[in-house]
Amino acid sequence: MRAVTTWTAPLPDGTQREEAALVFDKGREHRLLVIPPLFDEANKFRRQLVEIMRRLDLSGIDSVLPDLPGTGDSLLPHAEVTLAGLRKAAQAACEDFRITHCFCVRTGAMYAPSSLPGWRYAPIAGRNSLRSLLRARTLAAQERGESETTADLEAQGKASGLVAGGWHIGPELFAALGAEKLPHTQQMVDIDHETVGGSPLWLRAEPDEDPEQADALAAVIAIGLLGT
Amino acid sequence: MTGTTETNEKKGLPPSRQAIDDKLRAIIADVLGLDRDHVETFDGDTGLFGHLPELDSMAVAGLLTEMEDRLDIIIDDEDVDGEMLETYGGLLAFAEMKVIEG
């Protein structure tokens, strides 16, 4: 059954804070951690993630979608989010919810726990999403008749952080996303969007859900876990 | 036409104009949430930026990033101007030029 619970998330400075988590939890054998992408794609994909979780629940698989500090409904300012902090929090969520497998989407692959088996859906490196955010900002500046270049913004982002696409990105997150490649993994299987088919939901202007795509993704996970 | 494209890709040649056209239409449909059949009716003079309400600066950013990913090109700041985004024909010509450059 779907429920919202709380969990204790670690912060980079060693303190902790209480965050929410959406769970389909019946204490079953297979327990999946769901990791959304960063920035706007998280909002665009959240409804679809819940659709996938609902299908997995019907297949007998528990799943957990935790707010990591600074993401989802967390009250931690987004400017304080760091890549190391996201990784630490995702790892802590695994222990807290006794997770057995992980499913991450897009830039979620940048901070998914490396120790668990699972799936990465259409994974992209952080620098690709930064590039898109900076481009939106330079285009908006152009429309206002101002001039901003991607190179200037990159320097500013690394030095002091910046706001792009409405997201306050701190210098540490900016630098880490720009520098780090998509992690190599032996444990996780990549699912290309072509396998799922249809129009990618993270590209839409408004959040949406797609039952057929949710069926396809839930089927890949359920078959992997249950072998049926 | 499909056969030609496959042969070209096997030889490591740039994709044919038709293949770039197909990919570009798919990208526009995906990014702007438009019906694929509607995008198929676009011709060279069909207006884009300033004509399609879906195409705001955030959508332009998404469109250009998807073009980079799917056409395997790099689009620089100075490439982006009103002319390139004004019509479908302009955007297609830009994409073809970038693919050949790449």
Side-chain angles (χ1 to χ4, degrees), chain B residues 35-96:
Chain B
D35 190 59
R36 189 66 207 262
D37 291 339
H38 173 52
V39 179
E40 287 301 331
T41 66
F42 285 12
D43 61 25
D45 296 325
T46 303
L48 298 180
F49 198 54
H51 299 269
L52 297 172
E54 295 87 353
L55 198 57
D56 57 15
S57 60
M58 199 68 205
V60 170
L63 179 73
L64 299 179
T65 307
E66 271 310 286
M67 283 172 65
E68 288 186 326
D69 285 352
R70 294 199 213 173
L71 297 171
D72 197 20
I73 57 176
I74 300 285
I75 302 171
D76 299 314
D77 285 353
E78 52 270 23
D79 292 332
V80 185
D81 59 30
E83 200 180 328
M84 149 212 185
L85 285 162
E86 199 179 338
T87 61
Y88 180 72
L91 191 63
L92 179 60
F94 170 80
E96 285 172 348

Side-chain angles (χ1 to χ4, degrees), chain A residues 40 44 106 124 128 131-133 135-136 138-140 142-143 148-151 165 198-200 202-205, chain B residues 27 29-33 49 54 56-58 60-62 64-66 68-70 74-77 80-82 85:
Chain A
D40 213 30
K44 291 181 182 172
R106 304 279 288 163
I124 59 160
N128 298 45
R131 193 170 167 80
S132 200
L133 281 173
R135 178 168 274 148
T138 56
L139 286 166
Q142 239 177 46
E143 282 175 37
E148 277 182 339
T149 68
T150 308
S199 170
W202 60 82
L203 291 176
R204 305 262 177 94
Chain B
I27 292 166
D30 286 350
V31 171
L32 302 183
F49 198 54
E54 295 87 353
D56 57 15
S57 60
M58 199 68 205
V60 170
L64 299 179
T65 307
E66 271 310 286
E68 288 186 326
D69 285 352
R70 294 199 213 173
I74 300 285
I75 302 171
D76 299 314
D77 285 353
V80 185
D81 59 30
L85 285 162

Side-chain angles (χ1 to χ4, degrees), chain A residues 107-153:
Chain A
T107 42
M110 295 298 289
Y111 56 99
S114 52
S115 54
L116 285 177
W119 296 266
R120 310 195 299 186
Y121 170 44
I124 59 160
R127 74 164 69 90
N128 298 45
S129 70
L130 276 187
R131 193 170 167 80
S132 200
L133 281 173
L134 294 186
R135 178 168 274 148
R137 192 173 142 158
T138 56
L139 286 166
Q142 239 177 46
E143 282 175 37
R144 290 195 306 270
E146 296 163 19
S147 139
E148 277 182 339
T149 68
T150 308
D152 290 344
L153 290 177

Side-chain angles (χ1 to χ4, degrees), chain A residues 39-56:
Chain A
F39 310 126
D40 213 30
E41 290 190 358
N43 298 333
K44 291 181 182 172
F45 215 75
R46 187 169 172 99
R47 280 174 60 175
Q48 182 73 349
L49 285 179
V50 178
E51 284 300 305
I52 295 165
M53 292 168 76
R54 200 189 309 278
R55 283 160 173 76
L56 292 173

